[in-house]
């Protein structure tokens, strides 16, 4: 509709809604890909809502587009809610634009989706370089026959008496059975002194003997875990405890294929397709250093090509589609280790660590010692690297600081590298931190900062107009010490003064949205962009794909497990060792140690080499920081018990619980 006509024409409610959606689609494209739409017709259209990320497969979209002319290419970036189509002529592109804009199609879940089209000059999709499988990882296809598959599946009696010791009752979102030894998911270990009666099922003997004879495995397993996954179910990323099992862990996939994600401590993620009736063998680095897990979702992103096989899912946006998950049953075999582990990864090996993880503190003295070793000393060691990762201020914190009256005296308690000290030049800001090295960085940046403990701040009572405490109180190891830190903040405030407090949340997925912490998984090194424009299309010809099962979308109607909902039904760690968290995954305990992989130069003459996905390298030094992650309502409830305080606001911000309080 041209502007002259539009000025004399009153838009209907439907047309107004359509235009709003068009504008939103343009903004999304600009934000995600840096590509602006154009007002004139071109050969290339962006299809908003027509992407792998919202459940639309290549096999579903291509026939719709093809009705209006010859499609030279259809690019579908992984996990994005849009795609790009290039027609042979501008006329064909215009015809599709006019006819399909605002039209409904049905996605792979049977839900109606409205498509919105815009013209673009070119489409640039960041593409990832071809990765290698993690070292030591092998996938053997068609390891058993379909007859053996049927026999194995029928051998698992899910409806038998649930009081049977082999049946695991604690997992709500998948069915689990253990044989030989019970696998404990809270610590990825077994109790070697409590074998289960009966050993492994007899039906497995001949299969395991065959694998031994053919060289696929070196040990005959004595522990088996059988998991049944419905579409939408998954398992958190984890590493099986080094001291618990031998070097070899193998998993047989039955009933349906799946994509399993392998994550290196450096942040690289490699998605690996495990076909039906395939055997996954993890040894060496892939077993000891890389975590593995299955993302809960109903679709997986896979290659559309008919000849796709096991292995890495590449990011060729011209050959990606969705594959709908089916019911998958995994038989995971392990050999229980009877001697300490002597692997090549001592920094992450529980057998070789100089000290075992600390226990949950049961006194104020123990808590203080825990904080000294696993908070204060760690930040002194990692200060430089930590500072290099802390440079972007969070918008809500900036908003709080900029709303304060000119000339206000503000204390940043636990100021780190001082990234908030210079946000509002009209404030008088002072910072303090327990780390001398971080305070030195603040001073190098010409900020006023000093070293002190957040439980005893050398500032006169009632002196501050405002205080901020960002990511500090979750480092105190008991409820009493966390309350004391809150009381110290209130002591500094004058009547009417405000404090903003941020703590890490147990709920890293809230209201069906993942936090930035969970989303920030680097999937590899970005190679050159694939550019789709009018001059570079000859090698991007796409033929219509035959019907294949639709399978994958990182965000298609996920079924969220308890751990991802993040409710505070976490295991208490009292009288036990603090668990070590797997980075970029949901929390399973409120009190835990979070690894920090130090980058930079650990020694003057020993530079750290960048991660090489093809080869192996010694992992960078790992430090562990103590955290108490807060459940919904926990921070607000603690603030409500403070004297002379009113709560102005309580909210969730990107994986953190936040409170603004005022002294009355």
């Amino acid at each position: 509709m041209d502007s002259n006509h539009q000025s004399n024409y009153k838009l209907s409610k439907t047309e107004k809604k359509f235009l709003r959606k068009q504008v939103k689609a343009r903004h999304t494209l600009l934000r995600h890909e840096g590509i602006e739409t154009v007002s004139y017709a071109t050969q290339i259209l962006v299809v908003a809502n027509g992407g792998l990320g919202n459940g639309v497969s290549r096999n579903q979209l291509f026939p719709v587009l093809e009705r209006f002319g010859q499609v030279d290419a259809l690019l579908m970036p992984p996990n994005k809610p849009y795609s790009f189509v290039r027609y042979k002529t501008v006329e064909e592109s215009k015809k599709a634009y006019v006819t399909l804009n605002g039209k409904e199609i049905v996605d792979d879940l049977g839900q109606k989706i409205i498509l919105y089209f815009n013209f673009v000059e070119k489409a640039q999709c960041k593409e990832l370089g071809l990765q290698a499988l993690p070292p030591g990882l092998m996938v053997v296809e068609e390891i058993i026959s379909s007859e053996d598959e049927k026999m194995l599946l029928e051998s698992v009696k899910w409806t038998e008496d649930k009081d049977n010791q082999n049946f695991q009752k604690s997992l709500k979102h998948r069915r689990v059975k253990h044989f030989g030894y019970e696998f404990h998911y809270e610590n990825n270990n077994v109790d070697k002194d409590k074998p289960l009666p009966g050993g492994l099922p007899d039906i497995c003997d001949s299969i395991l003997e065959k694998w031994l004879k053919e060289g696929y495995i070196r040990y005959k397993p004595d522990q088996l875990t059988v998991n049944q996954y419905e579409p939408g179910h998954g398992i958190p990323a984890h590493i099986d405890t080094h001291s618990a099992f031998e070097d070899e862990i193998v998993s047989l996939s039955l009933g349906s294929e799946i994509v399993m994600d392998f994550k290196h401590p450096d942040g690289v993620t490699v998605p690996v397709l495990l076909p039906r009736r395939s055997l996954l063998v993890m040894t060496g680095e892939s077993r000891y250093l890389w975590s593995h897990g299955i993302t809960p979702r109903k679709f997986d992103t896979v290659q559309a090509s008919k000849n796709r096989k096991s292995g890495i899912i590449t990011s060729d946006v011209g050959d990606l589609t969705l594959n709908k998950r089916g019911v998958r049953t995994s038989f995971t075999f392990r050999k229980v280790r009877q001697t300490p582990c002597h692997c090549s990864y001592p920094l992450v090996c529980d057998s070789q660590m100089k000290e075992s993880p600390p226990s949950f503190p049961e006194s104020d003295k123990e808590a203080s010692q825990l904080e000294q070793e696993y908070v204060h000393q760690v930040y002194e060691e990692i200060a430089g690297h930590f500072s290099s990762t802390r440079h972007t201020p969070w918008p809500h914190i900036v908003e709080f600081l900029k709303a304060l009256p000119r000339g206000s005296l503000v204390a940043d308690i636990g100021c780190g590298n001082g990234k908030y000290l210079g946000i509002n030049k009209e404030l008088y800001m002072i910072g303090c931190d327990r780390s001398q090295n971080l305070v030195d960085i603040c001073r190098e940046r010409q900020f006023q900062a000093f070293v002190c403990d957040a439980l005893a701040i050398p500032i006169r009572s009632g002196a501050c107009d405002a205080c901020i405490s960002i990511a500090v109180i979750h480092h105190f190891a008991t409820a009493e010490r966390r309350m004391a830190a809150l009381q110290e903040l209130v002591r500094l405030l004058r009547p009417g003064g405000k404090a903003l407090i941020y703590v890490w949340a147990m709920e890293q997925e809230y209201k069906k949205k993942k936090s930035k912490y969970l989303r920030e998984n680097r999937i590899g090194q970005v190679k050159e962009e694939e550019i789709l424009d009018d001059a570079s299309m000859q090698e991007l010809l796409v033929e219509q794909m035959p019907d294949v099962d639709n399978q994958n979308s990182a965000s298609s109607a996920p079924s969220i497990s308890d751990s991802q909902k993040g409710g505070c039904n976490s295991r208490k760690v009292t009288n036990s060792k603090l668990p070590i968290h797997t980075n970029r995954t949901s929390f399973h305990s409120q009190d835990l140690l979070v690894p920090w992989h130090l980058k930079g130069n650990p020694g003057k003459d020993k530079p750290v080499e960048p991660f090489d996905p093809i080869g192996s390298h010694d992992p960078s030094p790992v430090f562990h920081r103590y955290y108490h992650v807060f459940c919904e309502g926990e921070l607000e409830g603690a603030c409500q018990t403070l004297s002379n305080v009113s709560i102005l606001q309580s909210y969730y911000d990107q994986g953190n619980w936040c409170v603004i309080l005022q002294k009355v």
Side-chain angles (χ1 to χ4, degrees), residues 25-155:
R26 288 196 286 267
H27 289 167
T28 301
L29 181 65
L30 183 62
R31 186 170 67 250
H32 286 273
E33 297 292 345
I35 297 175
E36 293 192 44
T37 60
V38 295
S39 58
Y40 48 88
T42 67
Q43 289 173 260
I44 306 170
L45 290 165
V46 57
V47 188
N49 279 354
L52 299 176
N54 58 325
V56 178
S57 69
R58 177 175 299 273
N59 304 322
Q60 187 179 23
L61 184 60
F62 197 97
V64 174
L65 300 171
E66 195 183 34
R67 292 202 297 265
F68 301 94
Q70 181 177 330
V71 175
D72 278 350
L74 174 59
L75 302 186
M76 303 188 78
N79 310 325
K80 297 295 180 67
Y82 47 78
S83 57
F84 301 98
V85 57
R86 182 185 191 276
Y87 283 95
K88 189 169 185 63
T89 69
V90 173
E91 295 306 316
E92 292 169 330
S93 177
K94 286 170 66 176
K95 187 177 178 182
Y97 175 88
V98 171
T99 310
L100 291 177
N101 236 328
K103 299 300 182 186
E104 283 184 352
I105 64 169
V106 179
D107 70 7
D108 284 17
L109 288 173
Q111 299 170 329
K112 292 181 179 179
I113 286 182
I114 300 176
L115 301 179
Y116 297 94
F117 289 73
N118 281 291
F119 292 109
V120 291
E121 278 286 357
K122 60 182 180 179
Q124 294 175 321
C125 301
K126 289 180 181 177
E127 195 174 319
L128 306 182
L130 182 63
Q131 300 163 310
L133 287 172
L137 190 72
M138 177 173 65
V139 181
V140 185
E141 294 191 51
E142 295 295 336
I143 190 74
I144 61 170
S145 66
S146 56
E147 291 77 15
D148 285 343
E149 177 188 39
K150 182 179 179 183
M151 184 174 61
L152 284 168
L153 289 172
E154 290 176 349
S155 71

Side-chain angles (χ1 to χ4, degrees), residues 310-550:
S310 61
I312 296 167
I313 307 299
T314 64
S315 293
D316 177 2
V317 295
D319 187 36
L320 291 181
T321 189
L322 299 182
N323 192 33
K324 191 173 183 179
R325 286 184 180 178
V327 177
R328 173 180 175 265
T329 302
S330 66
F331 280 57
T332 302
F333 297 94
R334 307 173 180 90
K335 173 71 174 175
V336 173
R337 185 188 291 277
Q338 301 299 336
T339 58
C341 176
H342 297 290
C343 68
S344 302
Y345 309 95
L347 291 175
V348 291
C349 177
D350 61 311
S351 290
Q352 300 180 67
M353 287 180 181
K354 293 179 182 177
E355 298 178 6
S356 61
S359 299
F360 186 88
E362 296 183 1
S363 67
D364 189 75
K365 181 179 179 181
E366 288 182 6
S368 178
Q369 290 172 342
L370 176 67
E371 292 161 15
Q372 175 64 27
E373 185 171 354
Y374 289 92
V375 181
H376 306 157
Q377 290 180 13
V378 172
Y379 278 103
E380 287 294 3
E381 293 285 348
I382 70 172
H385 182 214
F386 177 82
S387 177
S388 71
T389 67
R390 298 299 187 271
H391 44 75
T392 305
W394 284 41
H396 288 296
I397 302 172
V398 172
E399 181 183 339
F400 175 84
L401 292 172
K402 292 205 168 182
L404 295 172
R406 182 178 182 179
S408 295
L409 177 62
V410 183
D412 184 349
I413 310 302
C415 62
N417 67 351
K419 74 174 181 179
Y420 293 109
L421 293 178
I423 291 296
N424 186 348
K425 304 296 185 185
E426 296 185 341
L427 304 177
Y428 293 101
M429 291 199 69
I430 52 174
C432 62
D433 200 279
R434 188 63 174 71
S435 166
Q436 178 68 60
N437 288 337
L438 285 172
V439 168
D440 287 345
I441 292 172
C442 292
R443 290 172 175 169
E444 288 171 7
R445 296 177 173 179
Q446 307 303 310
F447 295 133
Q448 295 189 53
F450 56 89
V451 176
C452 77
D453 193 308
L455 297 182
I457 304 166
I459 296 177
R460 189 178 71 246
S461 299
C464 296
D465 297 296
C467 296
I468 61 173
S469 171
I470 311 302
V472 174
I473 292 174
H474 53 218
H475 284 309
F476 288 101
T478 64
E480 293 76 15
R481 292 172 70 80
R482 292 188 286 273
M483 279 302 304
L486 291 171
Q487 289 165 348
E488 186 70 351
L489 280 177
V490 175
R491 181 188 68 79
L492 301 182
L493 294 174
R494 63 166 176 80
K498 298 176 183 178
L500 171 63
I501 304 158
Y502 269 57
V503 294
W504 214 357
M506 178 81 176
E507 300 84 354
Q508 288 299 304
E509 187 159 342
Y510 186 66
K511 293 184 178 178
K512 297 186 178 181
K513 286 189 176 182
K514 289 185 178 181
S515 69
K516 186 178 180 183
Y517 174 71
L518 291 187
R519 295 197 311 268
E520 278 188 345
N521 271 324
R522 292 188 290 121
I523 310 181
Q525 305 302 318
V526 176
K527 74 173 187 181
E528 70 271 9
E529 293 179 334
E530 177 173 346
I531 300 179
L532 173 63
D533 60 25
D534 286 353
S536 60
M537 286 307 307
Q538 298 310 311
E539 62 246 25
L540 293 177
L541 297 177
V542 177
E543 297 179 0
Q544 182 176 353
M545 309 313 303
D547 288 338
V548 281
D549 291 338
N550 304 317

Side-chain angles (χ1 to χ4, degrees), residues 172 186 360 505-507 562-563 565-574 579 586-592 627-632 634:
K172 297 179 181 179
E186 69 273 13
F360 186 88
M506 178 81 176
E507 300 84 354
D562 274 357
S563 64
K565 286 177 182 173
C568 282
N569 299 320
S570 60
R571 276 178 195 268
K572 295 296 181 185
V573 210
T574 312
S586 301
F587 295 119
H588 305 292
S589 170
Q590 279 193 265
D591 296 274
L592 70 171
Y627 281 87
H628 171 86
V629 290
F630 280 66
C631 292
E632 182 173 9
E634 184 179 353

Side-chain angles (χ1 to χ4, degrees), residues 263-269 520-524:
K263 300 178 183 178
H264 189 274
D266 285 349
V268 174
T269 297
E520 278 188 345
N521 271 324
R522 292 188 290 121
I523 310 181

